[in-house]
Amino acid sequence: MPRTRASRASSFADDAAGGITERVEDPSDPEEAPPRKRVRWDGSGATPSNEDEDIDEDSSTNLVEKVCLAATCQFGRVACAYYDPVKQKILYFEDTPENQRFDLTRTFLEQTSPDVVLTSSKADDNFMDVCRDHMDGSGGTFQVRPHKDFLPLKGRDRLLSLRLLSELPIDTTDQLEESESEPRNAYDFMQRRREIGGDPLLQKWNASVRLANFAAVESSPLCLGSIGALLDYLARARAVAELDDEGVGGLEIAGIEQISLEDTMQINADALFSLQVFEDENHASIHSDKTKEGLSLFGILNNTKTTLGRALMREWFLHPSTSLSIINGRHDAVECFMRPDNITTALSMHGHLQGTKNVPRILTTMKSGKAKVSDWQGLVKYAFHALLLRDALAELNHAGGVVIVRKLLEALDVATLRQLGNTVNATIDWEESTNAARVCVRPHIDEELDNLKHIYHGIDSVLSKVATQISGTIPSDYTSSLNVVYFPQLGFLVCTPMQDEWHGEAGIQVLDGWSFQVRTLLTSSSSHVYFKSPEMHDMDTHIGDLHPAIVDREIEIVQGLQEKVLACALEIARACDICAELDCLLSFAAASRAQDYRRPVMTERNVIDIKQGRHPLQELVVDTFVPNDSYIVGGAGIGVIVDDRSVEEDDTEDDRYQGQNSVVVCTGANACGKSVYLKQVALIQYMAQVSVSRAFVSAESATLGVADKSEFFTRVQTRESVSRVQSAFMIDLNQVSLALRNCTARSLVLLDEFGKGTLPADGAGLFCGVVKHLLAGGASCPKLIATTHFHEVVHGDLLNPDRLPITFLHMQVLLTVDSEGVLDSEYDPENEVALQVSPSEKITYLYKVAQGYSLHSHAITCAELFGIPRRVTARARYASELLAKHEICQLLDEAMSDVERQELGDAEEVCRKFLAWDLSEESGRVQGDSVRETLKVILGRS
């Protein structure tokens, strides 16, 4: 049967490739005739018969129905990619930090429900165990592939080989007539293949450029490797099932998308960079690769005291929750901690958290048997501070409905913590452990250990007596002094100084019954020699090797104590996770108190309503920050009327609610604060719902809708690099393309001066095209905030504010003359005329948003403010005025000499006289040579 044959061949191909496979066999299907081998090439116009179609469909059933996932985890980061056979799409998950419980791994395994899971041979062992256990429970296939299949470079090459990226749509109407004729020789055949398939180098270049349109994986090596391994597996399976090995290029991939985990939002790296959520500063020394957090949103909100809290906060920033119940629950906690009567208690709780260590790491070290004294000390400190933390929780006011408080009170069991701390503290001798650099046990814990230590500590007197006895039995001239010493592993030895006569040819003299053991060199002129005597052998037999016996017994006691601790490891780990969450919430509360953040109202409505909003980073670096309002609704495209106001808002006459649009276009002078305003709105939404969906926001009040899987798409900053094959403008286009492909009605799209990297006419056209494309989505139109200097878009049918649902805003400026008199604002809603700033006038930025649009950027005045020489700005102003009057040709006159200028004037006079000649009166009587005479008269040349 075709299906059985394909399945067996696939199994053989996988095993031959060197992979380690664990699979569950599917029930066999009824026998059918084997498929016929088919030979085809791209230029053929043959159409398969119905029989061939049925056979091909049956033979590839296994391949089509199976969901294959490739994943790997290394150095605490996880990435994956899987193939959706229904939509024929590749879905990827970028490199992301993973915790010790592998929550992300479990989440995407449960969400994707794969039939086949591939992983690298160098992946984390615990990660492999999680994947293997999941596939054993689901009855799927788990396969460990060689690490070379997961190399990032190979993954990128395979990704660029996809026809989705390498081949551009072409018009084949001109090739229909030529395709009917068969190739006459091999040269024609190869030429036809090149015409149809295209140049391989050009295809690879196209693919590298278009890759960013679908996915931002260039900075995710694990993700690239996973995609490469997935494509390689799919190509092998297709080759076996269809007997047609075209490699990765033959795969039918309809699209590439990012995996959206349930109740979790994914934010791409460009958005995080543009909004300055993270900012790594390099070490001052070129010899160090360490970094620290600079001025960023994460930096000002990260006041965590524990390692687990810091890691959890970063995880919240990267993968925020979209669950409204979780968001409101954490808002309740922050509000409780910010109450005036709870501030002292909150500070005390944060201090107790600082005293705790990374207990999950300590438990992991104990499981491996490598726990040190510091690990046991950290465990005792955790028990002590956890008890104090629980007492502090009981002192909180109005905390009955706070989820985190209730969870922590349930997790912190007083009896268990007290018993844990007392048992460890009563067993381990901290002072002796510090001196011995190992874990030592207190006295009176074990009788056998106490006896061994008693003998070991009293051995000095015994050694002295034995040394005295031996001294009386040896010749008096044998040595000047004699000692009996004890060495672990070597036992008891007789020690004598090295005699001078022993340096000769005879060597060291050994007494009868003694045996030479070792010689130690103290200095260049002195050394000691060690012997075993019959008395030493007797002591080895009756007393034994004390130190190893003591160490072994202490190891046994500590091992028993370790088993008691690990018996409650799950409860301790759960309590530590809740403490990490409490650490984050206390950190947000501290930042909210310091920066005067307010609690937002989170709603299911698709709206952003901000009053007196502030940029959380910009306000820290300026003396005075001017707050602004913002109002925008989602899903209000062309043909859709949205009334998203609540009952309280309906009673107000606020101008912000007059135009409930999804698109906001902000104009204004250069350096007037447009970009800050644009980022401000996004960061407030980010603080409330995305990165810190547990903290307050930098605004007087805010009503914000809960976002979906993909909230933010930005075209704000361009990250150029010589390693990328795209220009700055191409990078901008990739960012916009990614937004257009993935945005939804609940997404927020930011466009900061999109189109500025090309000709003004082309840039304005692209800007208008993107805005109209989003508006044409109707109810699917996302929330769009854009800034632009293309003032011509408000005229005609481009972005007419009277015809399209667009809200136009501008940043106010104040124009003054040298006498400090105020001229006017730059916007006149009646005649829509922008005032020009003369050289004697000055501009003052007010940084205040107002309704309407501005028609002048005041770029020349801005250039003067920032140090451009006045002679340069004067020339620029003159050229700008000529451009506005369409008299730019006057600039050509400046390079002429006096003679050339005179000749140009004469030519102009001749032209004017000729144009003034009325030919209608002269046409009837001017003929032949008289024409020249008439021209001479008219032109004044007679």
Side-chain angles (χ1 to χ4, degrees):
M1 91 188 158
R3 184 171 180 176
T4 304
R5 179 180 179 182
S7 178
R8 292 175 180 172
S10 178
S11 175
F12 173 80
D14 293 338
D15 295 338
I20 303 173
T21 307
E22 303 171 10
R23 53 165 58 87
V24 178
E25 294 294 339
D26 296 331
S28 60
D29 295 333
E31 293 292 336
E32 296 180 6
R36 293 179 299 175
K37 184 175 181 181
R38 294 176 292 124
V39 180
R40 64 186 181 186
W41 65 288
D42 293 339
S44 63
T47 303
S49 63
N50 294 334
E51 182 182 359
D52 292 339
E53 291 179 357
D54 296 338
I55 294 175
D56 182 66
E57 182 179 357
D58 292 338
S59 64
S60 60
T61 301
N62 277 352
L63 176 63
V64 173
E65 291 181 352
K66 288 186 177 181
V67 175
C68 179
L69 182 142
T72 185
C73 180
Q74 293 181 3
F75 311 111
R77 300 179 70 84
V78 66
C80 73
Y82 83 96
Y83 175 69
D84 187 345
V86 178
K87 299 180 180 179
Q88 293 186 331
K89 291 184 177 180
I90 295 291
L91 293 96
Y92 66 92
F93 190 79
E94 294 181 356
D95 295 9
T96 305
E98 177 64 292
N99 56 32
Q100 297 178 350
R101 302 180 305 278
F102 296 95
D103 290 336
L104 283 177
T105 303
R106 300 178 192 275
T107 299
F108 61 66
L109 284 174
E110 293 174 359
Q111 182 173 328
T112 58
S113 299
D115 300 304
V116 180
V117 171
L118 311 175
T119 190
S120 170
S121 58
K122 291 188 177 181
D124 186 86
D125 292 338
N126 295 328
F127 170 80
M128 288 187 184
D129 293 338
V130 171
C131 296
R132 183 181 293 106
D133 293 343
H134 179 85
M135 298 310 294
D136 289 343
S138 62
T141 301
F142 176 72
Q143 187 174 130
V144 179
R145 303 293 300 174
H147 179 65
K148 62 182 181 180
D149 291 350
F150 282 81
L151 293 178
L153 292 179
K154 287 188 176 181
R156 187 176 187 275
D157 291 339
R158 291 166 182 164
L159 191 58
L160 297 181
S161 300
L162 292 176
R163 289 187 300 204
L164 172 70
L165 301 178
S166 61
E167 295 183 4
L168 298 176
I170 58 176
D171 185 9
T172 59
T173 56
D174 297 337
Q175 301 176 358
L176 293 179
E177 182 177 354
E178 298 179 2
S179 63
E180 296 177 356
S181 61
E182 294 294 333
R184 291 172 297 180
N185 50 45
Y187 176 79
D188 293 341
F189 176 81
M190 296 305 298
Q191 185 67 23
R192 184 76 57 82
R193 288 295 298 266
R194 178 176 292 274
E195 292 175 357
I196 295 176
D199 186 4
L201 294 178
L202 181 60
Q203 288 182 348
K204 188 173 182 179
W205 187 85
N206 290 336
S208 62
V209 171
R210 300 184 66 202
L211 175 60
N213 296 351
F214 294 88
V217 295
E218 292 286 356
S219 59
S220 300
L222 297 181
C223 182
L224 275 176
S226 299
I227 294 176
L230 175 64
L231 293 175
D232 181 65
Y233 177 85
L234 295 176
R236 290 171 182 265
R238 179 180 182 274
V240 173
E242 299 185 4
L243 298 178
D244 189 2
D245 188 7
E246 296 184 10
V248 176
L251 295 175
E252 295 294 338
I253 304 297
I256 305 174
E257 296 180 359
Q258 188 174 14
I259 295 178
S260 299
L261 301 180
E262 296 177 358
D263 295 333
T264 303
M265 179 181 299
Q266 306 297 323
I267 305 175
N268 60 62
D270 286 330
L272 295 175
F273 177 78
S274 300
L275 298 180
Q276 206 169 339
V277 176
F278 300 101
E279 183 70 25
D280 291 335
E281 290 186 357
N282 295 325
H283 195 276
S285 174
I286 62 175
H287 303 289
S288 175
D289 57 353
K290 295 182 179 180
T291 60
K292 66 175 183 178
E293 193 68 32
L295 179 62
S296 64
L297 186 64
F298 180 79
I300 65 174
L301 294 176
N302 180 27
N303 297 314
T304 54
K305 305 297 183 181
T306 64
T307 304
L308 292 177
R310 190 178 304 109
L312 180 61
M313 175 178 283
R314 193 173 187 89
E315 182 179 340
W316 282 357
F317 270 69
L318 293 173
H319 303 288
S321 173
T322 58
S323 172
L324 187 59
S325 60
I326 294 178
I327 295 172
N328 287 329
R330 289 165 178 171
H331 281 175
D332 293 339
V334 175
E335 186 176 29
C336 175
F337 299 148
M338 289 182 61
R339 291 178 58 89
D341 51 350
N342 288 336
I343 293 179
T344 303
T345 305
L347 294 176
S348 175
M349 293 165 58
H350 223 176
H352 295 320
L353 289 174
Q354 188 174 7
T356 61
K357 300 295 183 179
N358 190 353
V359 179
R361 184 197 61 81
I362 295 176
L363 296 177
T364 303
T365 305
M366 287 184 176
K367 291 180 181 179
S368 63
K370 299 179 181 179
K372 301 178 180 178
V373 179
S374 58
D375 296 328
W376 289 100
Q377 290 176 340
L379 189 62
V380 173
K381 289 182 179 180
Y382 162 75
F384 173 74
H385 288 284
L387 290 172
L388 296 179
L389 179 62
R390 197 183 192 286
D391 295 338
L393 288 172
E395 300 176 2
L396 287 173
N397 298 314
H398 304 280
V402 179
V403 178
I404 184 66
V405 175
R406 184 170 63 252
K407 289 166 56 179
L408 198 55
L409 287 174
E410 295 174 356
L412 296 177
D413 183 56
V414 176
T416 302
L417 291 172
R418 185 175 287 114
Q419 181 182 2
L420 176 66
N422 292 336
T423 302
V424 175
N425 190 56
T427 303
I428 297 179
D429 190 335
W430 305 112
E431 183 177 358
E432 184 180 354
S433 299
T434 303
N435 296 332
R438 60 181 179 85
V439 181
C440 299
V441 179
R442 291 181 182 271
H444 311 298
I445 298 297
D446 183 79
E447 183 177 358
E448 178 184 353
L449 178 64
D450 292 341
N451 293 333
L452 291 174
K453 287 188 175 182
H454 177 72
I455 297 175
Y456 181 77
H457 293 308
I459 199 68
D460 290 341
S461 60
V462 175
L463 296 180
S464 298
K465 293 179 181 180
V466 174
T468 302
Q469 295 175 0
I470 295 177
S471 298
T473 61
I474 62 175
S476 58
D477 59 346
Y478 182 73
T479 180
S480 60
S481 63
L482 181 145
N483 292 319
V484 175
V485 297
Y486 167 74
F487 287 111
Q489 307 297 331
L490 297 179
F492 298 91
L493 299 174
V494 176
C495 176
T496 63
M498 182 71 178
Q499 305 298 321
D500 294 338
E501 57 271 16
W502 293 353
H503 290 284
E505 295 181 358
I508 299 175
Q509 181 182 357
V510 181
L511 298 177
D512 295 337
W514 288 25
S515 61
F516 171 75
Q517 295 295 314
V518 68
R519 173 189 172 187
T520 60
L521 183 63
L522 301 180
T523 62
S524 58
S525 59
S526 64
S527 62
H528 286 167
V529 182
Y530 296 88
F531 302 93
K532 275 284 186 180
S533 67
E535 293 83 359
M536 300 300 102
H537 287 293
D538 292 341
M539 294 180 67
D540 290 340
T541 303
H542 294 89
I543 299 179
D545 201 353
L546 290 176
H547 188 270
I550 293 173
V551 173
D552 292 343
R553 185 55 187 163
E554 286 182 333
I555 291 176
E556 294 177 0
I557 297 173
V558 173
Q559 181 66 27
L561 177 63
Q562 181 174 295
E563 293 176 357
K564 295 180 180 179
V565 173
L566 294 178
C568 52
L570 294 178
E571 293 78 2
I572 295 175
R574 180 175 178 273
C576 290
D577 293 339
I578 302 176
C579 288
E581 186 175 351
L582 176 65
D583 190 12
C584 293
L585 297 176
L586 289 172
S587 176
F588 295 148
S592 300
R593 285 194 302 268
Q595 306 299 335
D596 191 26
Y597 293 160
R598 307 295 177 86
R599 176 174 182 171
V601 177
M602 304 305 298
T603 177
E604 294 288 352
R605 297 155 50 200
N606 191 6
V607 62
I608 296 179
D609 184 7
I610 302 172
K611 295 181 180 179
Q612 299 299 297
R614 311 185 309 276
H615 193 292
L617 301 179
Q618 187 72 17
E619 66 175 346
L620 300 179
V621 297
V622 296
D623 297 332
T624 303
F625 188 87
V626 180
N628 284 297
D629 297 345
S630 304
Y631 185 80
I632 183 173
V633 298
I638 297 176
V640 179
I641 300 177
V642 178
D643 188 4
D644 205 68
R645 291 177 292 176
S646 61
V647 177
E648 295 78 3
E649 294 167 354
D650 289 337
D651 298 335
T652 63
E653 297 296 334
D654 197 336
D655 293 337
R656 298 179 307 116
Y657 303 120
Q658 300 303 319
Q660 298 194 32
N661 299 322
S662 294
V663 177
V664 173
V665 178
C666 184
T667 59
N670 290 99
C672 65
K674 299 187 298 297
S675 298
V676 173
Y677 174 75
L678 177 137
K679 297 178 184 179
Q680 166 187 311
V681 177
L683 280 175
I684 290 177
Q685 175 73 23
Y686 191 85
M687 293 174 64
Q689 198 276 321
V690 182
S691 66
V692 274
S693 56
R694 307 90 186 144
F696 289 10
V697 299
S698 55
E700 181 180 317
S701 64
T703 301
L704 304 169
V706 179
D708 62 356
K709 61 180 182 179
S710 53
E711 170 69 6
F712 291 97
F713 296 98
T714 62
R715 206 320 304 159
V716 177
Q717 287 182 277
T718 304
R719 293 192 291 178
E720 299 182 65
S721 174
V722 295
S723 62
R724 305 178 69 172
V725 296
Q726 300 124 325
S727 64
F729 183 62
M730 293 173 66
I731 295 174
D732 294 348
L733 293 176
N734 283 331
Q735 293 175 350
V736 175
S737 175
L738 187 65
L740 296 180
R741 293 176 186 274
N742 297 278
C743 66
T744 65
R746 304 193 74 93
S747 300
L748 178 61
V749 181
L750 308 180
L751 299 180
D752 190 9
E753 299 184 17
F754 172 62
K756 64 182 179 181
T758 184
L759 291 175
D762 295 339
L766 285 171
F767 174 76
C768 294
V770 170
V771 173
K772 285 191 175 182
H773 173 78
L774 295 176
L775 286 172
S780 300
C781 179
K783 299 182 286 290
L784 170 65
I785 306 178
T787 64
T788 184
H789 287 288
F790 298 133
H791 303 122
E792 60 272 18
V793 300
V794 299
H795 299 295
D797 294 331
L798 295 178
L799 296 180
N800 193 330
D802 298 329
R803 299 181 181 179
L804 296 176
I806 300 177
T807 300
F808 282 92
L809 303 176
H810 72 279
M811 303 297 291
Q812 292 180 328
V813 297
L814 193 66
L815 306 179
T816 58
V817 295
D818 291 341
S819 59
E820 301 300 331
V822 178
L823 292 179
D824 199 351
S825 66
E826 63 171 325
Y827 174 71
D828 187 353
E830 295 183 358
N831 53 26
E832 299 181 353
V833 175
L835 298 178
Q836 301 288 338
V837 182
S838 64
S840 62
E841 298 167 357
K842 297 180 180 179
I843 183 172
T844 302
Y845 299 111
L846 301 180
Y847 304 109
K848 194 67 178 177
V849 173
Q851 293 286 335
Y853 49 83
S854 169
L855 295 180
H856 201 278
S857 296
H858 303 296
I860 298 174
T861 307
C862 178
E864 291 180 352
L865 291 177
F866 289 96
I868 300 300
R870 187 172 293 275
R871 63 180 182 276
V872 177
T873 58
R875 176 67 175 177
R877 183 175 287 106
Y878 173 66
S880 178
E881 292 175 353
L882 294 180
L883 282 172
K885 298 176 182 178
H886 301 285
E887 298 178 355
I888 192 65
C889 293
Q890 292 187 15
L891 296 177
L892 300 176
D893 299 345
E894 299 178 357
M896 294 184 179
S897 62
D898 294 340
V899 176
E900 292 174 338
R901 193 175 290 107
Q902 180 63 35
E903 292 178 353
L904 182 62
D906 295 342
E908 181 180 1
E909 183 180 358
V910 169
C911 291
R912 292 184 182 277
K913 290 180 178 180
F914 180 77
L915 292 175
W917 181 18
D918 187 4
L919 295 177
S920 60
E921 299 179 358
E922 304 291 339
S923 60
R925 55 187 177 85
V926 177
Q927 297 179 355
D929 295 338
S930 61
V931 175
R932 293 188 179 89
E933 300 298 331
T934 304
L935 282 174
K936 290 181 180 180
V937 174
I938 293 176
L939 299 179
R941 298 297 179 87
S942 57

